[in-house]
Amino acid sequence: MTGEGGSVVTGPNQKPPGDGVPPSDPTVAWWERPGEGAGQTPSQADPTVLRGNIGAPGPYTAPPAATPYQSGANPYTAPPTPYQSGANQQPYPQQFPPPQQFAQPQAGYQAPQPQWGAPPRPPSSGNKTLWWVLGSIGVVAVLVIAGIAFAVNKASDALGPDSEKWAGNYEFQKGKNACDLVDLSVLNQWATTRETTTHTEREPYEYIGGGSYNCDAKNKDSGRNADEASLSLQVEFKSDTGTESDYARWKSSDTRTTGKGHENGPVSGLGTEAYYASEQQIYSSINNDYSYIVAAIDSNVSVKVEIEVSTMGSYDRAAMSAAAEAQVRKVMAALKK
């Protein structure tokens, strides 16, 4: 720039003209321009000066402009490594950590593929397990119950009803009417008109035996102070419920009372053992009462027949004894095997 009087004015980054470098060259800073005595030889140039050819004779030629991104322009040159041919073998300080070494995938390895959407729901096995457990428990329970029932049945079959404890020469006949075991017509000799007839039959139990027949019949004539006659039959089969027989209980009760009007004693030729017992009750103004009992035991059966007569007449002991004993024999004959 020219001031007053033709003098040249320079800025802080400009040198007076005549140094051979146009001040308009933006690529040359003022410190790269040669100072006074620029005619020194290149050998005497300051090695720190990047442009040693400043001040050389000849016109100035601006260097070609090259941007950092121009093709082929690379402002940085890496230092040689210790392993390059012809390079200095001095170790070069490592500026960055070595790259990590990753294991190479083995043969057959397939990288997992990305999956989109919600992950699949795993199958629910809780309910299945619960039902399986409950089902197993149910099966086991059924098997246990079946096993117990089978064992009980087998035990029952093995033990079975021990009929030897009550079996004998006589047996209960199913469907037999108890009153058919006796002849009720024997009552007609004291009274001729049938008034009542009742009977019961009880079958023996499978595991304890027993069984029984009972018949009660009554005849009565018409008129005041009419004669009456009745017959009672009891049949009891042996059972496994006690040691005392029905015959023994009957005998103890029927022969307990003694004295006037009472008689009892054995009966021979009837079963294993037999007895009779009679009783008279005499009144002055009403009918007299007479009773005669014959009971016997044989093998596994006990039979008892009692005949009672109410009459104003006399007591016919022989007729009552014969009728009672005949009926016991008849019953035992009908029930014998």
Side-chain angles (χ1 to χ4, degrees):
M1 179 177 182
T2 303
E4 293 178 328
S7 62
V8 178
V9 181
T10 62
N13 291 332
Q14 294 178 345
K15 287 293 184 176
D19 54 3
V21 179
S24 61
D25 187 353
T27 63
V28 181
W30 65 266
W31 59 79
E32 295 178 322
R33 302 175 186 274
E36 296 180 1
Q40 59 185 354
T41 61
S43 62
Q44 296 175 347
D46 189 349
T48 61
V49 177
L50 298 179
R51 295 179 56 88
N53 61 347
I54 297 176
Y60 169 76
T61 304
T67 64
Y69 306 100
Q70 186 175 358
S71 176
N74 186 5
Y76 172 76
T77 303
T81 62
Y83 304 100
Q84 288 180 344
S85 177
N88 189 1
Q89 299 299 321
Q90 294 298 327
Y92 181 78
Q94 188 173 5
Q95 299 296 330
F96 302 98
Q100 296 182 0
Q101 299 294 328
F102 297 94
Q104 296 295 327
Q106 298 179 358
Y109 171 79
Q110 293 183 357
Q113 299 296 325
Q115 298 183 358
W116 307 101
R121 183 179 180 182
S124 176
S125 60
N127 293 337
K128 293 182 179 179
T129 303
L130 176 61
W131 284 113
W132 185 88
V133 171
L134 293 178
S136 300
I137 293 175
V139 172
V140 171
V142 171
L143 292 177
V144 170
I145 294 174
I148 293 175
F150 178 77
V152 170
N153 290 335
K154 292 298 291 183
S156 299
D157 294 341
L159 297 176
D162 190 3
S163 60
E164 295 299 325
K165 295 181 179 181
W166 59 83
N169 297 330
Y170 300 86
E171 65 180 357
F172 181 91
Q173 298 179 9
K174 295 182 179 181
K176 190 77 172 181
N177 188 316
C179 291
D180 292 341
L181 296 174
V182 293
D183 183 6
L184 298 179
S185 64
V186 298
L187 298 177
N188 293 339
Q189 55 187 308
W190 297 285
T192 58
T193 305
R194 177 67 50 81
E195 186 178 52
T196 60
T197 302
T198 61
H199 62 90
T200 59
E201 298 81 23
R202 179 175 58 84
E203 296 184 9
Y205 295 101
E206 181 179 3
Y207 288 92
I208 62 174
S212 64
Y213 292 104
N214 291 275
C215 175
D216 292 286
K218 180 181 179 181
N219 289 3
K220 183 179 180 180
D221 292 339
S222 60
R224 184 180 179 181
N225 296 327
D227 293 341
E228 298 180 9
S230 65
L231 184 150
S232 174
L233 168 66
Q234 296 182 64
V235 178
E236 297 290 342
F237 289 90
K238 184 179 180 180
S239 67
D240 192 28
T241 58
T243 58
E244 185 180 30
S245 65
D246 294 283
Y247 171 84
R249 292 189 294 101
W250 296 335
K251 184 178 181 179
S252 176
S253 176
D254 296 337
T255 61
R256 181 180 298 118
T257 305
T258 60
K260 185 179 179 180
H262 296 276
E263 294 181 10
N264 63 74
V267 176
S268 61
L270 182 60
T272 304
E273 182 182 337
Y275 72 90
Y276 79 91
S278 64
E279 181 181 359
Q280 309 179 53
Q281 294 182 359
I282 306 299
Y283 306 102
S284 59
S285 59
I286 60 174
N287 291 353
N288 298 322
D289 292 330
Y290 305 98
S291 70
Y292 199 95
I293 297 172
V294 174
I297 181 172
D298 189 34
S299 184
N300 61 326
V301 70
S302 298
V303 180
K304 177 182 176 178
V305 173
E306 180 178 7
I307 296 177
E308 295 181 289
V309 176
S310 176
T311 182
M312 292 293 293
S314 61
Y315 169 51
D316 188 352
R317 177 183 183 276
M320 294 182 68
S321 173
E325 183 176 338
Q327 298 308 306
V328 171
R329 293 181 183 276
K330 178 178 175 61
V331 172
M332 295 178 70
L335 297 179
K336 193 168 186 178
K337 293 180 179 179

